[in-house]
């Protein structure tokens, strides 16, 4: 190299001090090596504070994790807890930027580095980041300290305002640092982190446009917020590389070169068409890695890898489309803590995948997280397993004003920025109760600012008449729409302990037995598994019969309250809520299998299943009802090969055999189609006497890691000589744990639910326990014994994890596989049109003619009613054409407690007469012999009858005028001769 060229190169290095470097971004797992002290202590923020006697822990770790499921949510410890960590930076950090990312603290924390206060975070939900660079000792030890405060009544310091979502009913108070922490080291020219709180940065944004599902094509866009903290301007190229699930690079493209001035923050963009795409879908967690790179003089100085997926959505006509296929939502309103006994929410990623993957195994497709957004680990887990998510920010059961509304907006902003690259998120929820039109518009503006291209609807619970909302839906009641989709948000609130089979076998739980709740009968919250499963079927039927394909106005599905039993406000005998289809250890109840039967399809059932509820171990005198859940058209029951006839079909999926004599042997249910062709079958066998224990080890796909946070589960079953689980076994199991591991235990019925106990019973022949690794690798042995059964043991080894100076490059989620159970989105239609509605063109009413149109205006908050006199209690509809109307779908005010005696005429012909059913929304008047006509009259033929058919099914909600179900509208308590219609549809069944 000649002298002139050498001088040019030196000048370039001075102008662009980053150009000679390779990629400077490093990310470290910052969870190891923390110290915990529960309580307040002065001067704990000081770097030289003596903490040698503090408890050594690995994050994530709630300080009060021992209380998970042990105490009522109201009794959880809320106090000050200190977390401290000593660490040293690698030599490569010298001259770089250093950021820390906390995925969340509860409820608030003051952050200190080397004795200096670096910030405060108070919302208790969302991630927060800090620029540590000015406070670091790059050549020696650093000490970070957090003073956390999880007071239930914590108030924002600057305003004195409470946080609406810090609520004792639903937001289990796992305090301290129950989520992950990461350390980032970057160049001074860097892509920012998606951490708006404190850092006020937005990170990268990856999305697709011009999506053509059939052609497998889309235009992929990448945007990165970039900041230059050098003292000089830098000329930057922006490169994007896309890697498929197998790690193969499928595309590389660049944006326009940009000069970023010193101290400037800009957004760099690039886009390119991509072919042969695999679209993310329900049960198909196909993900891509998108690497965005900043180059100076052709060399990379900063690279960020964003794991994401691409899919197409549409919301309208009362329906939801995913990849051009209509999907009815079938899932759960799950507590965002998604917690486990003895550890709370802080589980390793493989356990998140196991729990969330059970959704796919029983054909669920939606988690509607409740009240607060879930932690990032659950969001990323749903990406992998293929479960759709509806994300709230934070709220309680009502709209808010003033500072509390501003807090909700700020949290929504942070949630969207942090989560907008996760393809499983299809919905943002602005409120767990109706919010005002003005507030809805404000939330839409936030979504449009930070995630305008993500294909996500934003709405709120209820929002029945606010068309700006992109979806709505009440908690319990069935809603329909031809505009934005209606999704029931917390339907079927009944509870039942997994332990209770029925009234005929141990522990002989009579349906509804249990204490009063607030002085009222709480039978609906103390059900046995037979009857609880039947109720699950009944309540899904309410939504299924209003599915797409059944008319112009449809329902888009719903979220049954909680997937897994949860340490939140329940109404039954236990100190936690037992509405789940799995228990807290994710052991299935019968409701799990019932939903698997009903939910196997995007809209219509696509694969037939049959499930017999319960077991077949009784005594000779027992004669009992047998319930079968099936998607077949008919079900025949056999006992030891002898037919017991066909079951009575109710709620489409339930087949009841009223009185079946027990015989030792086998009971089998066979389902058939309309041509009596067999579709599916299920059998139960009488299991023999308990003979031994069966142990099953459960852990992540790569084994158990000695990081102080990984967990192995051991499933314990009492089995007979053939290895079959004994359904009535309740042996108390004694556990003896040996080796470098920490006992976290399981759960069973007791005052403290046996949390952390080393002796606990199996229930229905099965239990599970959890064992947490320490930071020492080695062999772990669990010995298990029970009276009358031979002892057993199971062993495993924990693998070493390298931690250097408090930093680790071990990331527990790396390598966890996606699930592809359901395959790519089918191209075929997801439903058959079985009914069409015939529109109303004119209406005449006995009185209040000006309101008559409200009875078919697609607004469930409006109604037509007469004046209480029988001679005005009629309304006549003129239809757009003559039709044989055979199904009148109608929502009548007071649907859950009022029965209306009606007559229906087609022209002059009486086609229906009777009393309407009480319901959670719509009733169907089925006309056996329809008459072709273009005029239908509905007439009240006598006084209505009132009594609440669902009186126990309640929830904490703010009373609100205009709730037509509870007659809170003015004058709503009148009975007399009222006819009150909210919505009516006239349906004609198509010949199939």
């Amino acid at each position: 190299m000649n002298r002139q060229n050498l001088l040019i190169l030196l000048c370039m290095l001075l102008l662009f001090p980053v150009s000679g470097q390779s990629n400077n971004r490093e990310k470290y797992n910052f969870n190891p090596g923390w110290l915990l002290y529960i309580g307040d202590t002065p001067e704990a923020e000081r770097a030289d504070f003596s903490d040698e006697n503090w408890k050594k822990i690995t994050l994530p770790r709630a300080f009060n994790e021992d209380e998970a499921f042990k105490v009522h949510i109201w009794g959880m410890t809320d106090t000050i807890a200190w977390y401290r960590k000593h660490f040293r930076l690698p030599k490569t950090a010298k001259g770089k930027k250093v950021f820390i990312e906390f995925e969340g603290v509860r409820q608030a924390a003051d952050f200190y580095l080397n004795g200096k206060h670096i910030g405060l975070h108070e919302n208790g939900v969302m991630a927060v980041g800090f620029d540590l660079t000015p406070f670091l000792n790059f050549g020696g030890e650093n000490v970070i300290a957090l003073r956390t405060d999880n007071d239930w009544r914590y108030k924002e310091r600057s305003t004195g305002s409470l946080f609406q979502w810090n609520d004792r009913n639903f937001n289990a108070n796992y305090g301290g640092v129950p989520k992950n922490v990461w350390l980032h080291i970057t160049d001074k020219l860097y892509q920012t982190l998606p951490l708006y709180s404190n850092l006020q940065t937005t990170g990268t944004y990856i999305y697709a446009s011009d999506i053509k599902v059939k052609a497998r094509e889309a235009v992929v866009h990448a945007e990165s917020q970039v900041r230059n903290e050098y003292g000089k301007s830098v000329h930057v190229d922006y490169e994007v590389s896309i890697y498929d699930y197998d790690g193969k690079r499928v595309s590389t493209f660049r944006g326009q070169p940009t000069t970023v001035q010193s101290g400037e923050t800009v957004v760099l963009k690039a886009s390119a068409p991509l072919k042969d795409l695999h679209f993310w879908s329900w049960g198909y967690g196909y993900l891509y890695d998108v690497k965005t790179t900043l180059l100076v003089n052709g060399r990379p100085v900063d690279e960020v890898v964003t794991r994401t997926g691409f899919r197409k959505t549409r919301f309208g006509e009362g329906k939801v489309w995913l990849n051009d296929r209509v999907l009815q939502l079938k899932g759960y309103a799950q507590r965002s803590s998604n917690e486990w006994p003895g550890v709370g929410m802080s589980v390793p990623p493989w356990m998140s995948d196991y729990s969330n993957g059970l959704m796919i195994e029983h054909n669920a497709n939606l988690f509607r997280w409740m009240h607060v957004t879930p932690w990032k680990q659950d969001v990323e887990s749903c990406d992998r397993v293929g479960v759709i998510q509806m994300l709230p920010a934070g709220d309680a059961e009502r709209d808010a004003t003033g500072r509390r509304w501003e807090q909700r907006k700020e949290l929504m902003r942070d949630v969207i920025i942090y989560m907008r690259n996760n393809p499983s998120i299809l919905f943002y929820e602005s409120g767990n109760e109706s919010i005002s039109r003005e507030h809805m518009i404000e939330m839409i503006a936030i979504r449009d600012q930070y995630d305008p291209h993500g294909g996500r609807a934003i709405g709120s619970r209820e929002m029945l008449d606010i068309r700006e909302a992109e979806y709505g839906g009440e908690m319990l009641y069935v809603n329909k729409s031809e505009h934005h989709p209606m999704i029931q948000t917390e339907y079927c609130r009944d509870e039942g302990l997994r332990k209770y089979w029925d009234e005929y076998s141990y522990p002989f739980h009579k349906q509804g037995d249990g204490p009063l709740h607030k002085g009222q009968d709480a039978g609906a919250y103390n059900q046995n598994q037979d009857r609880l499963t039947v109720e699950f079927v009944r309540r899904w039927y309410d939504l299924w019969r209003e599915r797409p394909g059944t008319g112009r106005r449809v329902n888009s599905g719903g979220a049954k309250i909680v997937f897994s039993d949860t340490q939140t406000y329940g109404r039954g005998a236990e100190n936690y809520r037992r509405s789940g289809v799995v228990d807290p250890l994710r052991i299935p109840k019968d409701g799990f299998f019932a939903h698997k039967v009903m939910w196997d399809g995007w809209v219509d059932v696509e694969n037939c299943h049959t499930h017999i509820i319960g077991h077949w171990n009784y005594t000779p005198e027992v004669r009992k009802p047998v319930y079968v859940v099936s998607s077949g058209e008919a079900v025949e029951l056999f006992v030891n090969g002898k037919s017991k006839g066909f079951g009575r079909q109710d709620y489409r999926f339930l087949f009841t055999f009223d009185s079946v004599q027990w015989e030792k042997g086998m009971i089998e249910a066979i389902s058939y189609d309309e041509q009596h062709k067999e579709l599916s079958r299920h059998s139960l066998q009488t299991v023999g006497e308990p003979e031994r224990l069966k142990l099953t080890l459960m852990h992540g796909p790569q084994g158990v890691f000695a990081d102080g946070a990984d967990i192995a589960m051991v499933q314990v079953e009492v089995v007979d000589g053939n290895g079959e689980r004994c359904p009535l076994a309740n042996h108390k199991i004694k556990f003896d744990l040996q080796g470098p591991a920490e006992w976290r235990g399981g759960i069973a019925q007791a005052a403290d639910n046996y949390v952390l106990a080393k002796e606990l019973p199996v229930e229905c022949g099965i239990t599970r326990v959890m064992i947490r690794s320490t930071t020492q690798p080695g062999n772990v042995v669990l010995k298990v014994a029970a009276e009358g059964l031979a002892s057993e043991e199971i062993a495993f080894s924990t693998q070493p994890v390298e931690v250097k100076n408090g930093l680790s490059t071990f990331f527990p989620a790396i390598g966890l596989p996606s699930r592809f159970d359901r395959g790519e989105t089918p191209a075929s239609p997801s439903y058959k049109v079985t009914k069409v509605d015939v529109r109303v063109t004119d209406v005449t009413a006995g009185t209040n003619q000006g309101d008559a149109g409200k009875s078919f205006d697609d607004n469930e908050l409006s109604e037509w009613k007469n004046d209480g006199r029988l001679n005005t209690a009629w309304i006549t509809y003129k239809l757009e054409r003559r039709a044989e109307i055979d199904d009148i779908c109608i929502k009548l005010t007071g649907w859950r407690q009022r029965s209306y005696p009606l007559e229906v005429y087609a022209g002059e012909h009486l086609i229906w007469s009777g009393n309407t059913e009480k319901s959670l929304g719509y009733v169907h008047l089925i006309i056996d012999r329809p008459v072709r006509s273009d005029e239908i009259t509905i007439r009240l033929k006598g006084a209505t009858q009132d009594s609440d058919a669902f009186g126990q099914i309640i929830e904490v909600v703010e009373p609100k005028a205009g709730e037509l179900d509870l007659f809170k509208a003015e004058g709503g308590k009148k009975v007399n001769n009222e006819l009150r219609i909210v919505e009516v549809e006239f349906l004609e069944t198509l010949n199939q």
Side-chain angles (χ1 to χ4, degrees):
M1 179 181 294
N2 61 37
R3 181 179 176 85
Q4 184 177 6
N5 289 338
L6 179 61
L7 289 173
I8 293 173
L9 176 61
L10 290 173
C11 290
M12 290 178 64
L13 290 173
L14 289 173
L15 288 171
F16 305 110
V18 297
S19 63
Q21 308 275 344
S22 61
N23 175 36
N24 290 310
R25 184 173 290 252
E26 302 171 58
K27 181 178 178 180
Y28 292 97
N29 182 340
F30 207 64
N31 288 325
W34 286 81
L35 303 168
L36 170 64
Y37 178 85
I38 301 173
D40 207 356
T41 182
E43 300 185 326
E45 75 279 5
R46 287 174 43 191
D48 60 353
F49 180 83
S50 177
D51 54 19
E52 62 269 17
N53 294 323
W54 286 24
K55 183 179 180 180
K56 296 179 181 180
I57 63 169
T58 299
L59 298 181
R61 184 77 56 89
F63 75 82
N64 56 353
E65 64 171 358
D66 290 0
E67 297 172 350
F69 283 93
K70 188 171 187 175
V71 303
H72 195 289
I73 184 174
W74 298 338
M76 297 186 75
T77 301
D78 58 335
T79 188
I80 305 299
W82 280 89
Y83 291 72
R84 284 170 58 90
K85 178 184 173 83
H86 300 253
F87 68 99
R88 292 173 181 267
L89 292 170
K91 293 180 180 179
T92 53
K94 186 69 173 178
K96 307 296 192 307
K97 298 289 297 182
V98 181
F99 300 94
I100 194 166
E101 172 187 353
F102 288 86
E103 289 186 352
V105 296
R106 178 72 181 272
Q107 169 67 37
D110 285 286
F111 298 80
Y112 300 88
L113 181 60
N114 297 328
K116 297 179 178 64
H117 188 263
I118 61 173
L120 169 69
H121 188 60
E122 298 179 284
N123 68 37
V125 178
M126 188 33 52
V128 62
F130 297 95
D131 182 354
L132 303 185
T133 314
F135 313 100
L136 283 165
N137 177 4
F138 282 88
E141 183 179 80
N142 295 276
V143 178
I144 189 167
L146 280 69
R147 181 184 184 272
T148 67
D149 184 352
N150 72 323
D151 186 349
W152 280 117
R153 302 295 296 171
Y154 181 88
K155 294 182 179 180
E156 189 176 45
R157 288 185 197 168
S158 61
T159 65
S161 173
L162 295 167
F163 288 85
Q164 192 180 11
W165 51 87
N166 193 21
D167 189 287
R168 292 175 183 243
N169 287 317
F170 56 76
N171 195 359
N173 198 347
Y174 303 118
V177 191
K179 303 178 184 180
N180 295 304
V181 187
W182 316 109
L183 193 74
H184 304 269
I185 301 174
T186 77
D187 194 85
K188 291 183 180 180
L189 174 72
Y190 60 95
Q191 298 170 78
T192 66
L193 296 169
L195 298 170
Y196 201 90
S197 284
N198 188 63
L199 290 178
Q200 298 190 344
T201 55
T202 58
T204 60
Y205 182 35
I206 312 296
Y207 62 92
S209 68
D210 304 297
I211 299 172
K212 299 175 182 177
V213 176
K214 289 184 179 180
R216 307 173 74 94
E217 297 176 354
V219 177
V220 175
H221 303 257
E223 300 179 4
S224 291
Q225 187 185 60
V226 175
R227 183 168 290 172
N228 176 15
E229 296 198 26
Y230 280 101
K232 298 181 181 293
S233 63
V234 181
H235 191 69
V236 184
D237 281 302
Y238 183 57
E239 183 176 88
V240 180
S241 295
I242 300 178
Y243 298 82
D244 68 12
Y245 182 78
D246 297 317
K248 178 184 176 183
R249 188 171 65 178
V250 294
S251 181
T252 296
F253 52 93
R254 289 191 179 189
Q256 290 294 321
T258 304
T259 298
V260 185
Q261 302 299 321
S262 174
E264 187 180 20
T265 301
V266 300
V267 175
L268 302 185
K269 301 179 181 182
S271 63
L274 197 63
K275 296 184 177 182
D276 298 321
L277 277 169
H278 297 274
F279 292 106
W280 186 95
S281 187
W282 167 37
Y284 188 76
Y286 200 97
L287 301 173
Y288 290 85
D289 285 333
V290 180
K291 182 171 70 173
T292 49
T293 304
L294 305 182
L295 301 108
V296 176
N297 291 337
R299 297 189 178 185
V301 298
D302 186 59
E303 292 179 349
V304 172
V305 176
T306 303
R307 175 151 285 193
T308 189
F310 308 109
R311 75 285 183 276
K312 184 180 180 182
T313 58
R314 180 186 166 202
F315 311 92
E317 302 174 27
K319 298 189 281 287
V320 175
W321 282 263
L322 175 60
N323 298 332
D324 293 335
R325 199 174 202 234
V326 174
L327 178 71
Q328 188 177 30
L329 297 168
K330 306 167 182 179
Y332 300 93
Q334 178 75 335
R335 299 299 189 193
S336 297
S337 42
N338 209 8
E339 67 267 34
W340 298 70
V343 294
M345 67 184 298
S346 304
V347 296
W350 82 262
M351 286 181 67
S352 297
D353 282 11
Y354 172 74
S355 178
N356 300 333
L358 289 171
M359 295 279 284
I360 301 303
E361 291 185 15
H362 82 297
N363 300 315
N365 59 36
L366 171 71
F367 267 140
R368 179 234 172 201
W369 302 103
M370 296 181 68
H371 296 284
V372 297
T373 206
W375 66 324
K376 187 71 166 178
Q377 180 170 298
D378 264 323
V379 171
E380 293 175 340
S381 172
C382 288
D383 288 345
R384 289 190 292 271
V385 303
V387 173
I388 294 165
Q389 299 181 79
M390 181 182 291
L391 254 61
D395 71 346
E397 295 279 355
R398 61 190 64 84
D399 204 348
T401 58
R403 177 58 192 150
R404 296 220 291 181
W405 174 248
E406 294 302 314
Q407 290 170 341
R408 282 173 59 171
K409 288 169 56 182
E410 292 163 6
L411 186 54
M412 178 62 80
R413 173 202 63 205
D414 290 4
V415 166
I416 290 175
I417 290 169
Y418 199 53
M419 309 290 195
R420 62 186 177 175
N421 293 316
N422 295 96
S424 54
I425 301 167
L426 263 62
F427 304 90
Y428 297 125
E429 182 179 274
S430 303
N432 194 59
E433 252 286 2
S434 179
I435 61 175
S436 69
R437 178 179 179 273
E438 292 73 21
H439 282 175
M440 188 70 252
I441 291 171
E442 289 180 44
M443 285 294 194
I444 291 171
I446 294 171
R447 189 275 313 271
D448 289 348
Q449 180 176 358
Y450 296 107
D451 187 16
H453 308 294
R456 298 178 175 99
I458 187 164
S460 174
R461 200 174 93 186
E462 300 193 9
M463 312 306 284
L464 306 182
D465 63 339
I466 297 177
R467 292 285 161 77
E468 286 81 4
E470 294 166 355
Y471 71 91
E474 291 179 284
M475 178 171 63
L476 296 173
Y477 306 132
V478 182
N479 305 119
K480 300 172 69 174
S481 174
E482 64 172 312
H483 295 283
H484 58 258
M486 291 295 178
I487 304 159
Q488 284 10 93
T489 55
E490 298 173 30
Y491 82 90
C492 196
R493 314 188 65 76
D494 301 52
E495 298 184 42
L497 201 64
R498 183 181 64 81
K499 175 178 179 178
Y500 297 137
W501 283 113
D502 52 35
E503 301 180 15
Y504 305 92
S505 58
Y506 176 85
F508 304 102
H509 182 80
K510 185 177 179 181
Q511 171 66 10
D513 267 3
L516 300 177
H517 176 68
K518 296 184 177 180
Q520 302 296 317
D521 178 21
Y525 305 104
N526 289 290
Q527 303 203 50
N528 59 48
Q529 287 304 301
D530 266 17
R531 297 291 295 278
L532 181 64
T533 308
V534 168
E535 187 64 15
F536 289 164
V537 175
R538 292 176 61 193
R539 296 285 71 88
W540 173 248
Y541 174 74
D542 291 340
L543 306 179
W544 173 85
R545 66 178 175 176
E546 314 302 344
R547 67 195 181 281
T550 61
R552 173 175 41 90
R553 301 181 67 248
V554 295
N555 174 273
S556 272
K560 195 199 84 62
I561 194 166
V562 304
F563 167 65
S564 57
D565 293 349
T566 166
Q567 190 189 3
T568 53
Y569 179 35
R571 291 156 180 76
E574 300 354 289
N575 62 6
Y576 63 94
R577 188 169 204 131
R578 299 105 71 247
S579 296
V581 296
V582 297
D583 76 1
L585 293 165
R586 278 50 174 184
I587 300 173
K589 305 177 187 178
D590 262 314
F592 179 92
F593 303 104
H595 286 98
K596 180 176 182 177
V597 170
M598 300 185 293
W599 285 356
D600 195 356
W602 282 58
V603 177
D604 293 344
V605 174
E606 296 166 4
N607 300 291
C608 185
H609 305 279
T610 295
H611 177 75
I612 303 170
I613 299 173
H615 63 91
W616 198 237
N617 271 53
Y618 294 94
T619 51
E621 72 278 6
V622 169
R623 180 181 288 273
K624 72 179 291 286
V626 173
Y627 303 103
V628 179
V629 186
S630 179
S631 48
E633 295 296 330
V635 173
E636 187 175 10
L637 191 70
F638 296 84
V639 176
N640 293 326
K642 299 175 184 178
S643 176
K644 299 299 179 180
F646 288 84
R648 182 181 69 253
Q649 185 179 22
D650 297 297
Y651 313 108
R652 173 54 186 89
F653 301 102
L654 181 68
F655 296 84
T656 303
F657 301 83
D658 289 314
S659 183
V660 178
Q661 176 65 51
W662 180 79
E663 298 175 19
K664 182 178 180 180
M666 185 175 75
I667 184 172
E668 186 170 36
I670 302 178
S671 71
Y672 307 94
D673 65 13
E674 292 176 339
Q675 286 73 44
H676 203 70
K677 178 183 177 182
E678 181 181 329
L679 296 174
S680 62
R681 62 173 63 197
H682 180 234
S683 63
L684 297 172
Q685 190 83 29
T686 302
V687 180
E689 293 298 313
E691 288 196 12
R692 62 183 178 88
L693 298 170
K694 178 182 177 182
L695 306 184
T696 305
L697 181 64
M698 306 168 67
H699 55 65
Q702 299 175 32
V704 185
F705 291 92
D707 63 351
D710 203 359
I711 291 174
M713 284 197 292
V714 176
Q715 179 170 287
V716 183
E717 298 173 86
V718 176
V719 299
D720 69 1
N722 295 319
E724 298 295 324
R725 186 190 308 166
C726 299
L728 306 184
N730 70 319
H731 297 68
K732 181 167 280 190
I733 312 297
K734 297 181 180 179
F735 297 91
D736 179 21
L737 179 64
Q738 300 174 3
E742 179 188 2
W743 180 255
R744 300 314 298 173
I747 192 169
Q749 186 190 32
D752 63 357
N753 302 312
Y754 286 97
V755 172
L756 299 179
K758 289 194 174 180
E759 291 187 24
L760 68 155
V762 296
E763 294 179 339
C764 302
I766 182 173
T767 192
R768 290 172 181 166
V769 294
M770 292 180 289
I771 300 165
R772 186 159 62 200
S773 69
T774 67
T775 55
Q776 296 299 315
N779 296 322
V780 178
V781 178
L782 181 66
K783 297 182 178 181
V784 181
E787 186 176 350
L789 303 175
S791 61
E792 297 285 342
E793 68 177 49
I794 199 165
F796 60 92
S797 296
T798 60
Q799 303 173 53
V801 172
E802 183 179 2
V803 178
K804 185 176 181 180
N805 294 322
L807 309 180
S808 176
T809 55
F810 169 69
F811 296 92
I814 296 296
L816 289 178
S818 286
R819 295 189 66 154
F820 303 106
D821 301 46
R822 300 195 65 89
E824 299 195 58
T825 305
S828 59
S830 59
Y831 63 90
K832 292 181 179 179
V833 177
T834 58
K835 297 177 184 287
V836 294
D837 65 293
V838 183
R839 288 182 180 268
V840 175
T841 59
D842 199 10
V843 60
T844 304
T847 188
N848 294 330
Q849 178 67 33
D851 288 336
K854 293 179 179 178
S855 65
F856 59 95
D857 63 353
D858 198 29
N859 179 358
E860 294 181 344
L861 295 183
S862 67
E863 65 170 343
W864 168 83
K865 63 181 178 179
N866 75 323
D867 55 9
R869 295 181 296 168
L870 191 60
N871 65 347
T872 64
W874 61 269
I875 187 166
T876 298
Y877 297 93
K878 184 72 172 178
L879 306 183
E880 63 181 348
R881 61 178 174 84
R882 290 174 61 83
E884 292 186 355
I885 302 300
D886 59 358
D887 183 352
I888 297 175
C889 181
I890 189 167
K891 176 173 272 193
L892 296 154
T893 302
W895 51 83
R896 64 180 281 171
Q897 65 187 45
R898 176 171 285 188
S899 178
Y900 290 81
L902 298 180
E903 292 177 338
V904 180
Y905 293 85
E908 300 297 323
H909 298 277
L910 178 66
I911 59 174
W912 193 92
S913 179
N915 294 324
T916 62
E917 297 177 351
K918 296 167 186 175
S919 73
L920 291 177
Y922 287 85
V923 295
H924 286 254
L925 311 183
I926 303 300
I927 299 161
D928 295 327
R929 294 184 178 180
V931 174
R932 184 172 292 276
S933 176
D934 61 358
E935 183 180 279
I936 302 291
T937 298
I938 300 174
R939 183 184 299 275
L940 189 71
K941 63 180 182 179
T944 55
Q945 301 292 321
D946 282 4
S947 65
D948 194 345
F950 304 90
Q952 295 176 21
I953 307 302
I954 57 174
E955 185 55 45
V956 181
V957 293
E958 182 181 25
K960 174 186 172 186
E963 289 185 0
L964 301 178
D965 62 308
L966 299 178
F967 293 90
K968 291 176 183 173
E970 184 178 354
K973 292 185 178 179
K974 293 180 181 178
V975 179
N976 297 331
N977 294 302
E978 276 193 327
L979 178 58
R980 303 175 67 171
I981 300 176
V982 179
E983 287 293 322
V984 65
E985 301 157 68
F986 301 101
L987 303 174
E988 189 176 41
T989 301
L990 300 179
N991 294 324
Q992 299 299 306

